[in-house]
Amino acid sequence: MNDQLEISRLVEHLFRHESGKMVSVLTGIFGTANLELAEDVVQDTLIEAISHWTYREIPKNPTAWLYTVAKNKALNALKHEKVKSKYISDLQGGVGAAREFEMDLGNIFSKERISDEQLKMMFMCCHGAISKDSQVALILKTLCGFSIPEIARAFLTSHENINKRLVRARKKIREHEIPFKIPDDQTVNDLLHAVLDAIYLLFNEGYSASSGEHLIRYDLCEEAIRLSEILVDHHTIKNKSDIHALLALMQLNCSRFSSRIDQNGNIRTLGEQNRALWDLEIMEKGFSNLKYAAQSGHISTYHILASISSFHCSAKDFEHTDWQSILALYDKLLILDHSPIVVLNRAIAVSKVDGAENAIAELEKIRNAKAIKSNYLYHAVMAELHFQLNRFTEAHDALKKAMDLAPLPSEKEMLGSRFQNYFNKKNDGDVPNAKV
């Protein structure tokens, strides 16, 4: 028997990377009304992988193995009389599609077909008949392999609410007979924003994971970039400014990954990071995409966020960061997105330009916001700012709150270490500047 932990990790990895591809291709065969059938086939395939690989050897090419099993299961479903009578009238192309599928097994999961079908899936999920919150949830579930708990954390809501959104979305797909195709030019542009929002949520979950042992989940970030590259490379989409901007943002942030965690797994703030470890190749791709994004003259939240990240990447060291320009960009971002999270991030730049007192005043304005009450970073930043002002009681309370709310062990450990260091410094009469 093979190592169960190793198999579980492999299947989890493949589920994240391959389930969306398989569901997209099979939805093109079964039709959008039968999205759940496609999901069931993929789920059965992964369950069989766990069983087969546990008691037999793991195949040399696990992905190819999954594709083969998924094709066979899909074909069996089409051949089954009960399934056929229920679904065949809904198939894309009817009986012809079933015959084509039978004859075309060798090419069903080709790279080109996967790319086209995933693009169709992105826009199907973002059809106007589906509500905005359900659109993003559906993309994360069907195309990106997110679990219900992960989506719930991303939306700061309950598992039950996410389930309801997904049920409503699938119902709308059936009721409106939403087609599985790439829309025309105008419709593509109208739906693109919802698609990019979903991709950005996926990236954020990887960039600062909401669960597990690891702060960064690299596979999620890679998947978000991959989906964006499908969009930017496809000839159907004419206006790609926002896509380039989002790619720039993700790539510039990814370029700093190797320095965010030290050898002991401890988190490093931007000021503590070894910039020699930054990935200049990925960073250059980010700068290149930012250049492409700027050519249209259009400005979105992704353009501004990517520009902010570019100032961090281009500074020769932390002390030479252009905080004045970063604050000016946050002022522009507030016009487009006056959310508590933007106010929180802007407050850091305010502290660098106008001092800790002014930054605290900005943070007090959002103290009672729903998205902030359970956000450990809000309290961590508050603690840093109070330390700068030698307000040790307030700093102690804020840092304690941050530690209680931090979702990951690595984050709790980092805050605890900083908590101890600050008070050791206080006792020595040496209070450092905050590292926000």
Side-chain angles (χ1 to χ4, degrees):
M1 182 181 294
N2 292 308
D3 187 316
Q4 194 62 47
L5 181 59
E6 177 189 357
I7 292 171
S8 296
R9 287 174 176 168
L10 175 59
V11 171
E12 181 183 356
H13 172 81
L14 290 170
F15 179 77
R16 181 71 72 189
H17 284 274
E18 305 300 334
S19 64
K21 298 176 186 178
M22 292 188 287
V23 169
S24 296
V25 170
L26 295 180
T27 300
I29 297 297
F30 296 144
T32 58
N34 303 308
L35 172 60
E36 288 181 271
L37 175 61
E39 292 179 314
D40 288 344
V41 168
V42 172
Q43 187 68 35
D44 288 347
T45 299
L46 291 163
I47 291 173
E48 182 167 329
I50 294 174
S51 175
H52 188 91
W53 299 348
T54 298
Y55 295 100
R56 304 181 188 181
E57 65 178 1
I58 298 174
K60 293 181 179 178
N61 190 336
T63 299
W65 188 96
L66 287 179
Y67 287 173
T68 299
V69 172
K71 286 186 292 188
N72 292 336
K73 287 183 179 293
L75 186 57
N76 288 338
L78 289 173
K79 287 180 175 180
H80 196 287
E81 287 301 322
K82 291 183 180 179
V83 174
K84 185 181 292 186
S85 64
K86 183 177 181 181
Y87 293 112
I88 197 67
S89 62
D90 294 326
L91 288 172
Q92 299 286 90
V95 176
R99 290 173 180 167
E100 179 186 351
F101 179 65
E102 234 176 302
M103 297 171 59
D104 194 31
L105 285 178
N107 297 318
I108 196 67
F109 286 114
S110 68
K111 182 178 179 180
E112 294 76 14
R113 187 161 189 169
I114 287 173
S115 178
D116 282 348
E117 303 301 81
Q118 285 190 293
L119 188 63
K120 294 175 186 177
M121 178 66 81
M122 289 187 213
F123 290 109
M124 182 203 76
C125 292
C126 295
H127 189 275
I130 303 173
S131 65
K132 293 294 183 183
D133 55 358
S134 295
Q135 286 176 1
V136 181
L138 190 61
I139 284 183
L140 294 176
K141 179 68 170 64
T142 62
L143 196 57
C144 303
F146 259 36
S147 66
I148 298 297
E150 285 174 324
I151 302 173
R153 284 191 295 270
F155 281 101
L156 300 177
T157 189
S158 66
H159 299 183
E160 182 182 3
N161 281 339
I162 295 301
N163 271 317
K164 288 179 179 178
R165 292 179 192 182
L166 292 171
V167 168
R168 287 197 299 267
R170 291 175 179 129
K171 183 179 179 182
K172 290 292 184 181
I173 290 171
R174 291 191 299 270
E175 289 178 346
H176 290 264
E177 299 181 348
I178 296 175
F180 195 70
K181 67 178 184 179
I182 299 172
D184 57 45
D185 291 350
Q186 183 56 46
T187 309
V188 162
N189 291 331
D190 291 341
L191 296 178
L192 188 58
H193 183 71
V195 174
L196 295 180
D197 282 349
I199 291 174
Y200 189 41
L201 272 177
L202 175 62
F203 180 82
N204 279 336
E205 175 63 19
Y207 186 74
S208 186
S210 58
S211 67
E213 294 297 321
H214 304 290
L215 175 69
I216 304 172
R217 295 173 64 179
Y218 299 96
D219 57 336
L220 303 192
C221 296
E222 290 170 355
E223 182 70 2
I225 290 175
R226 187 188 66 81
L227 292 177
S228 297
E229 289 173 340
I230 290 175
L231 291 170
V232 85
D233 290 340
H234 210 282
H235 63 85
T236 304
I237 303 171
K238 308 302 182 189
N239 184 358
K240 300 180 179 180
S241 177
D242 283 359
I243 309 173
H244 281 296
L246 178 57
L247 262 174
L249 171 60
M250 295 189 294
Q251 288 166 338
L252 289 171
N253 286 345
C254 276
S255 70
R256 305 194 297 265
F257 275 1
S258 58
S259 61
R260 288 185 69 204
I261 309 293
D262 67 16
Q263 293 180 341
N264 298 318
N266 299 314
I267 303 168
R268 288 288 176 235
T269 64
L270 194 58
E272 297 168 335
Q273 291 177 17
N274 179 359
R275 300 188 176 216
L277 298 177
W278 288 2
D279 191 322
L280 298 182
E281 182 178 351
I282 297 177
M283 189 181 295
E284 184 57 37
K285 290 180 180 178
F287 281 121
S288 178
N289 273 303
L290 185 56
K291 181 179 178 181
Y292 282 122
Q295 291 177 354
S296 70
H298 166 69
I299 299 296
S300 69
T301 57
Y302 299 124
H303 289 77
I304 297 174
L305 289 171
S307 297
I308 290 171
S309 188
S310 74
F311 277 106
H312 288 302
C313 288
S314 60
K316 67 177 183 179
D317 52 44
F318 186 72
E319 288 68 27
H320 286 84
T321 303
D322 187 352
W323 290 106
Q324 192 75 51
S325 294
I326 290 174
L327 179 57
L329 286 167
Y330 272 117
D331 290 341
K332 291 181 180 180
L333 184 58
L334 278 179
I335 298 173
L336 298 177
D337 180 10
H338 203 286
S339 67
I341 298 301
V342 173
V343 174
L344 170 59
N345 290 328
R346 178 180 175 274
I348 298 172
V350 170
S351 73
K352 299 297 183 182
V353 176
D354 298 323
E357 193 73 69
N358 286 307
I360 290 174
E362 293 297 314
L363 291 177
E364 288 291 346
K365 297 176 182 178
I366 58 171
R367 175 178 289 277
N368 295 320
K370 182 179 179 181
I372 289 299
K373 286 185 176 180
S374 60
N375 190 317
Y376 87 97
L377 290 173
Y378 172 85
H379 301 283
V381 171
M382 271 292 201
E384 299 270 9
L385 296 172
H386 282 302
F387 270 121
Q388 284 190 29
L389 298 169
N390 295 342
R391 298 173 181 169
F392 301 113
T393 300
E394 292 89 340
H396 175 278
D397 293 343
L399 199 50
K400 174 79 164 53
K401 183 73 171 176
M403 290 180 65
D404 290 341
L405 292 172
L408 300 183
S410 58
E411 291 167 328
K412 291 180 185 293
E413 184 175 341
M414 179 270 290
L415 290 170
S417 175
R418 186 169 300 179
F419 176 92
Q420 190 62 50
N421 288 339
Y422 274 128
F423 282 95
N424 287 342
K425 298 264 186 184
K426 175 200 169 186
N427 293 333
D428 293 338
D430 178 19
V431 180
N433 291 325
K435 297 175 181 176
V436 185

